[in-house]
RNA sequence: GCUGCGGUAGCUCAGUGGUAGAGCGCGUCAUUGGUAAUGACGAGGUCGGGAGUUCAAUUCUCCCUCGCAGCACCA
């Protein structure tokens, strides 16, 4: 047998016979490590203790203290243990797949009867029994025909299909947790007892399509969450509870920002408070865009189908469009229109008027464009995914040579805006050429490279999403995260050479010839609706002062202070601060509580002392202490705080 | 759109085959109180919409609609 050399994290090496397993290496170090070991890391690859090592390698033995591999294994073994529990409880259930995901795992089952919440408790109990049995985990590599025959015999067609989809040159690995077998790449723990019985919880049941394909059967998915110990689980469940309190739908109601109702699904009724946030944000964006070289335009809402046919939307996007037919008796002919689902074709119409020269490029056109899309009912989500929304849309008409510089400029712009609005954590994704696409590979090469390099030049790293681009060009996506960790695309930049050509846009080049411009579709916030939803969740309703709909409540403690309260509020309003008075016949405790719950950032309390001394007692949201300030001082301070960051 | 679950007062939620209840909020009165809920009294609901079963439906059944979770979708 050949000898191999294994190098440990401390730099020491030992010689072993080739084919030694990681478990044997652990045993060679110490018998206690052999017991505590959960897996190994071999040449940066997560390695099952049972797998043999055949070549010189770097090796580290992992225990539960190595959090990353530990969580991976605990969650993965729990997926198998849950599937085993389900099949022990309901032998007719077919198993499919069960991967590890953020904070936990899921497993998809095919079962006629729906799982109920009570079933989750039953399954959990069964899982704990399996864990307590400390059943050994074994693995083997199987020949394909044997594996297929095995699953066919057991009536598990999903597994057969999975095996058939695995490339022929890849070995098929089987794992057993006790006697229960599953096809799995591994690695896994040594025995079921290594899973902490009090570190996991089954969370929910939901439908999910087999292989993510809506034309295939819908399975039942059970989600679970797991950590290496009870405390980790408890902390996570607590975080979920806290996050639920930040839900923009809940805060929207509590802060009286907006509501939605059955007669207008997916559309927002903005109340005065919410509309204040909206208009503040819009005013800010308008100033920022103007300063960044955009011209602002406005285009029609109801547009004849002819334009949508020309743009290609009628063919490809009709299902998602609100169609408006005009069929009045006095109409000479019936016309078919659609509410615009996006602004780009309209902006092209503006570009197309008159003659454009290369000297006009890049031409940056912006619009706060109201769009309507008939989104699938199941996709709607508060104000984050709606059917009527307004994009902070913009289209940059430019030459190929200008793409990179314009992209870089846009990324810097977006970064400034996000920073002003209090976002530090956002990510960039670059979606590249999809299978179905137009344009030559050379063009795609150039476009993808331009976006990537612009990103790097602006100082941001991006995640690659291969094949996720639009059919006409690659795109950058800028995503933000909501309260419970769901990510939402907000900003975007897409390169499009198709639409300008389709709609006949040209400019005269330096050579005197006509050329087709490139069009960059870009949005910073994405839509006001979605962005405000994210904004509310990010700040848990406690918006930055300049955006807060209700900035100051001047509350009187005694009725003798009412006149002074009006005076203070008037002074603040004159300084551009949104101030209201609360002279109701209520105790100051009551007023403080009510306005704190309402997320008012500043409460000014006024009693006899303040009237006497022309001062105010300031209480800021989130602080228990108060401070006394002169009226002049607080006015100038809050005036500054109420100023948008771009005007400071 | 699909699977599952839900819709009772402005909000959060109990409840029942014989047309409904709590807390908060709202209104009135009393209270002038110094930083997260003063007290008393009062008003407020065709129980999401439609159909069916029944002597009788908010309750059972079906359809529709909206919402929630997830999936699919997201130019």
């Amino acid at each position: 047998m050949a000898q191999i050399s294994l190098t440990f994290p401390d730099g020491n090496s030992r010689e072993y016979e080739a084919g030694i397993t990681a478990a044997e290496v652990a045993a060679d170090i110490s018998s206690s490590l052999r017991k505590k070991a959960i897996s190994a890391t071999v040449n940066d690859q997560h390695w099952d203790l049972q797998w043999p090592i055949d070549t010189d390698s770097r090796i580290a033995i992992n225990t539960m203290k190595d959090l990353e591999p530990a969580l991976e294994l605990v969650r993965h073994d729990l997926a198998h243990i849950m599937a085993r529990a389900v099949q022990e409880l309901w032998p007719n259930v077919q198993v499919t797949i069960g991967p590890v995901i953020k904070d936990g795992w899921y497993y998809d089952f095919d079962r006629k009867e729906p799982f109920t919440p009570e079933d989750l408790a039953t399954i959990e109990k069964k899982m704990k029994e399996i864990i307590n049995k400390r059943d050994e985990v074994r693995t083997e590599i199987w020949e394909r025909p044997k594996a297929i025959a095995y699953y066919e015999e057991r009536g598990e067609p999903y597994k057969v299909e999975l095996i058939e989809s695995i490339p022929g040159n890849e070995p098929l690995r089987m794992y057993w947790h006790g006697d229960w077998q599953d096809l799995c790449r591994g690695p896994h723990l040594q025995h079921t007892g290594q899973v902490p019985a009090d570190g996991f919880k089954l969370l929910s049941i939901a439908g999910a399509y087999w292989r993510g394909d809506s034309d295939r059967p819908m399975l039942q998915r059970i989600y679970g969450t797991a950590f290496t110990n009870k405390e980790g689980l408890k902390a996570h469940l607590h975080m979920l509870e806290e996050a639920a309190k930040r839900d923009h739908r809940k805060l929207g109601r509590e802060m009286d920002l907006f509501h939605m109702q059955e007669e207008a699904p997916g559309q927002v009724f903005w109340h005065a408070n919410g509309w204040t946030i909206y208009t503040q944000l819009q005013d800010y964006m308008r100033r920022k865009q103007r300063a960044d070289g955009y011209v602002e335009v406005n285009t029609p809402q109801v547009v004849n189908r002819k334009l949508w046919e020309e743009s290609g939307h009628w063919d490809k996007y009709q299902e998602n469009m609100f169609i408006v037919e005009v069929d009045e008796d006095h109409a000479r002919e019936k016309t078919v229109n659609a509410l615009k689902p996006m602004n780009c074709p309209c902006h092209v119409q503006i570009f197309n008027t008159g003659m454009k020269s290369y000297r006009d490029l890049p031409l940056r056109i912006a619009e706060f464009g109201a769009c309507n899309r008939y989104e699938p009912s199941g996709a709607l989500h508060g104000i984050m995914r709606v059917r009527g929304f307004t994009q902070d849309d913009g289209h940059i008409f430019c030459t190929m040579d200008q793409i990179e510089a314009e992209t870089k400029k846009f990324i810097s712009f977006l970064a400034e805006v996000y920073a002003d609005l209090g976002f530090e954590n956002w990510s960039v994704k670059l979606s590249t050429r999809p299978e179905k696409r137009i344009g030559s590979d050379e063009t795609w090469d150039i476009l993808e490279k331009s976006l990537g390099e612009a990103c790097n030049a602006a100082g941001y790293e991006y995640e690659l999403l291969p094949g996720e681009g639009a059919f006409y060009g690659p795109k950058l996506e800028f995503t933000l995260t909501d309260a419970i960790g769901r990510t939402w695309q907000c900003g975007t930049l897409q390169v499009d050479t198709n639409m300008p050509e389709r709609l006949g846009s040209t400019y005269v080049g330096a050579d005197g010839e006509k050329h087709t411009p490139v069009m960059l579709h870009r949005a910073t916030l994405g839509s006001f609706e979605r962005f405000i939803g994210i904004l509310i969740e990010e700040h848990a309703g406690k918006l930055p002062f300049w955006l807060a709909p209700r900035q100051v409540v001047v509350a009187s403690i005694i009725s003798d202070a009412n006149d002074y309260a009006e005076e203070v509020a008037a002074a603040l309003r004159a300084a551009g601060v949104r101030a209201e008075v609360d002279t109701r016949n209520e105790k100051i405790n009551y007023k403080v509580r009510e306005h704190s719950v309402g997320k008012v950032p500043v409460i000014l309390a006024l009693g006899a002392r303040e009237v006497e001394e022309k001062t105010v007692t300031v209480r800021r949201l989130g602080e228990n202490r108060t401070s006394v300030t002169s009226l002049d001082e607080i006015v100038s301070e809050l005036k500054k705080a109420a100023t948008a960051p771009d005007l400071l």
Side-chain angles (χ1 to χ4, degrees):
Chain A
M1 220 16 159
Q3 291 289 111
I4 58 167
S5 167
L6 296 184
T7 307
F8 295 92
D10 63 8
N12 291 324
S13 308
R14 289 196 203 184
E15 299 288 312
Y16 292 101
E17 277 189 14
I20 189 166
T21 64
E24 287 161 346
V25 174
D28 186 47
I29 295 168
S30 79
S31 61
S32 71
L33 182 63
R34 171 71 181 83
K35 269 190 199 154
K36 279 196 301 187
I38 54 170
S39 67
T41 301
V42 176
N43 296 332
D44 301 323
Q45 193 191 339
H46 200 185
W47 201 267
D48 196 297
L49 292 170
Q50 299 179 52
W51 295 351
I53 304 166
D54 295 321
T55 56
D56 289 355
S57 302
R58 281 172 290 112
I59 183 169
I61 303 296
N62 300 318
T63 67
M64 275 296 169
K65 287 191 176 140
D66 298 290
L67 209 55
E68 201 178 311
L71 285 171
E72 161 83 22
L73 290 167
V74 163
R75 290 165 182 168
H76 199 176
D77 281 84
L78 277 164
H80 285 240
I81 290 167
M82 181 171 79
R84 171 177 158 188
V86 166
Q87 284 201 317
E88 284 181 9
L89 289 164
W90 299 279
N92 296 332
V93 173
Q94 290 167 18
V95 290
T96 66
I97 51 164
V100 171
I101 53 172
K102 187 174 183 293
D103 302 327
W105 80 92
Y106 68 75
Y107 207 110
D108 288 348
F109 301 97
D110 192 4
R111 177 186 184 225
K112 277 195 193 68
E113 306 73 32
F115 287 113
T116 64
E118 293 74 50
D119 291 339
L120 290 188
T122 311
I123 296 167
E124 247 179 51
K125 198 171 149 226
K126 187 60 133 182
M127 289 170 72
K128 285 182 183 167
E129 286 171 26
I130 294 170
I131 290 168
N132 288 332
K133 281 186 188 161
R134 304 170 68 83
D135 281 340
E136 188 197 0
V137 177
R138 290 187 300 117
T139 180
E140 278 178 18
I141 290 176
W142 275 21
E143 290 303 320
R144 191 161 294 251
K146 181 180 172 187
I148 291 176
Y150 173 83
Y151 280 120
E152 274 177 349
E153 192 197 323
R154 314 269 313 206
E156 296 276 10
Y158 296 99
K159 288 292 181 189
V160 173
E161 189 180 332
L162 278 180
I163 292 168
E164 282 165 351
S165 71
I166 295 173
N169 53 357
E170 269 183 44
L172 293 182
R173 189 173 276 285
M174 292 293 174
Y175 267 90
W176 285 262
H177 284 69
D179 291 329
W180 190 83
Q181 178 181 351
D182 201 359
L183 172 73
C184 182
R185 221 176 252 129
H188 278 284
L189 294 165
Q190 298 197 50
H191 59 84
T192 60
Q194 284 188 313
V195 173
D198 55 1
F200 78 94
K201 185 172 168 57
L202 302 187
L203 291 179
S204 60
I205 312 151
Y209 295 109
W210 168 234
R211 315 219 97 185
D213 184 342
S214 58
D215 292 331
R216 313 225 36 197
M218 179 154 274
L219 308 168
Q220 294 187 65
R221 175 172 295 179
I222 301 179
Y223 285 92
T225 186
F227 294 84
T228 53
N229 54 42
K230 193 167 131 191
E231 289 69 36
L233 174 66
K234 217 175 132 186
H236 181 68
L237 295 177
H238 179 71
M239 188 279 287
L240 289 180
E241 272 175 39
E242 288 302 306
K245 294 181 189 161
R246 292 195 285 157
D247 191 306
H248 74 282
R249 293 165 294 192
K250 183 176 155 68
L251 287 168
R253 194 166 47 240
E254 289 171 1
M255 296 172 69
D256 194 17
L257 302 177
F258 59 83
H259 86 273
M260 303 175 89
Q261 66 187 48
E262 214 171 308
E263 289 79 359
Q267 291 166 93
V268 186
F269 289 79
W270 286 104
H271 297 195
N273 286 341
W275 192 244
T276 301
I277 301 174
Y278 189 115
T279 51
Q280 284 299 119
L281 195 55
Q282 190 175 58
D283 291 348
Y284 164 81
M285 287 306 297
R286 176 169 283 139
R287 291 190 303 268
K288 289 291 281 184
Q289 287 183 345
R290 192 172 293 160
D292 211 48
Y294 288 82
V295 291
E296 187 179 327
V297 302
N298 196 267
T299 60
Q301 217 54 41
V302 182
V303 179
N304 193 286
R305 69 183 274 181
K306 273 194 284 184
L307 182 62
W308 305 115
E309 283 167 354
E310 282 170 26
S311 70
H313 290 92
W314 197 255
D315 258 3
K316 294 209 167 77
Y317 202 64
Q318 196 179 149
E319 277 187 354
N320 288 288
M321 301 207 295
F322 281 95
I323 310 293
V324 184
E325 296 194 10
V326 179
D327 191 17
E328 293 175 51
D329 290 342
H330 59 268
R332 273 175 301 187
E333 59 184 308
K334 182 164 149 174
T335 62
V336 180
N337 307 281
L339 298 185
K340 70 175 168 188
M342 51 205 60
N343 308 296
C344 18
C346 293
H347 288 188
V348 171
Q349 303 313 304
I350 291 179
F351 181 89
N352 285 356
T353 57
M355 282 294 266
K356 295 290 181 297
S357 147
Y358 72 98
R359 295 173 194 275
D360 296 320
L361 306 186
L363 179 60
R364 307 183 191 95
I365 296 181
E367 175 176 8
F368 298 118
C371 296
N372 289 275
R373 298 181 188 171
Y374 190 79
E375 299 285 8
S377 56
L380 303 180
H381 180 91
I383 63 172
M384 306 265 229
R385 182 85 182 265
V386 285
R387 288 183 176 157
F389 55 97
T390 301
Q391 296 178 314
D392 61 323
D393 207 357
H395 294 95
I396 301 169
F397 294 86
C398 64
T399 66
M400 286 290 265
D401 296 343
Q402 291 168 331
I403 294 173
E404 195 174 321
E406 284 301 307
T407 303
K408 180 168 176 260
K409 182 177 163 70
F410 173 69
I411 296 170
S412 308
F413 176 78
L414 176 139
E416 262 178 51
V417 170
Y418 282 17
D420 277 353
L421 296 172
F423 292 97
E424 277 153 28
N425 298 312
W426 45 276
S427 60
V428 193
K429 290 164 188 161
L430 172 57
S431 301
T432 58
R433 67 194 80 182
E435 291 204 359
K436 282 189 184 170
R437 60 175 183 267
I438 55 165
S440 69
D441 282 355
E442 292 75 46
T443 310
W444 278 91
D445 286 342
I446 297 169
L447 298 180
E448 287 169 3
K449 192 160 161 273
S450 302
L451 293 194
E453 287 187 357
C455 223
N456 291 334
Y460 295 94
E461 286 185 14
Y462 56 86
E463 182 192 332
L464 208 58
L465 300 178
E468 295 290 310
F471 74 92
Y472 52 73
K475 64 177 174 183
L476 290 174
E477 289 178 31
F478 303 87
T479 58
L480 293 169
T481 306
D482 74 6
I484 64 164
R486 288 176 288 217
T487 59
W488 295 87
Q489 181 195 311
C490 291
T492 182
L493 182 138
Q494 304 180 17
V495 187
D496 185 2
T497 51
N498 177 246
M499 196 179 296
E501 187 174 343
R502 251 192 114 102
L503 295 177
S505 302
T506 56
Y507 66 91
V508 179
D511 56 4
E513 300 292 320
K514 283 190 176 176
H515 301 272
T516 303
V518 176
M519 188 175 184
L520 304 181
H521 307 251
R522 43 105 291 168
T524 313
L525 308 178
S527 80
F528 283 90
E529 288 74 6
R530 176 175 294 180
F531 201 90
I532 291 171
I534 295 268
L535 200 57
I536 292 165
E537 299 202 355
E538 172 76 11
H539 295 285
K542 299 172 190 168
L543 295 170
F545 193 83
W546 68 279
L547 278 173
R550 304 171 64 206
Q551 294 175 319
V552 181
V553 169
V554 185
S556 57
I557 296 167
I558 48 167
S559 53
D560 283 347
N562 288 356
D563 290 346
Y564 181 51
E566 295 287 0
E567 189 187 325
V568 169
L572 286 166
R573 283 195 286 260
V577 177
R578 290 184 284 280
E580 54 198 274
V581 294
D582 184 354
T583 52
R584 290 175 303 170
N585 180 12
E586 295 290 350
K587 291 188 171 182
I588 190 64
N589 297 26
Y590 182 88
K591 295 183 184 181
V592 166
R593 176 184 152 77
E594 189 179 278
H595 301 307
S596 299
V597 168
K599 313 272 192 252
V600 176
V602 174
I603 298 169
L604 302 181
L606 311 178
R609 276 202 307 272
E610 289 80 4
V611 173
E612 177 70 23
E613 296 163 4
K614 288 279 168 197
T615 56
V616 296
T617 297
V618 186
R619 185 188 164 115
R620 290 171 199 281
L621 187 58
E623 290 177 17
N624 290 327
R625 61 188 177 77
T626 59
S627 60
V628 180
T629 318
S630 75
L631 176 56
D632 290 346
E633 221 171 296
I634 196 70
V635 169
S636 82
E637 186 189 327
L638 293 180
K639 179 180 179 176
K640 193 174 170 214
T643 308
D646 65 307
L647 296 175
L648 285 174

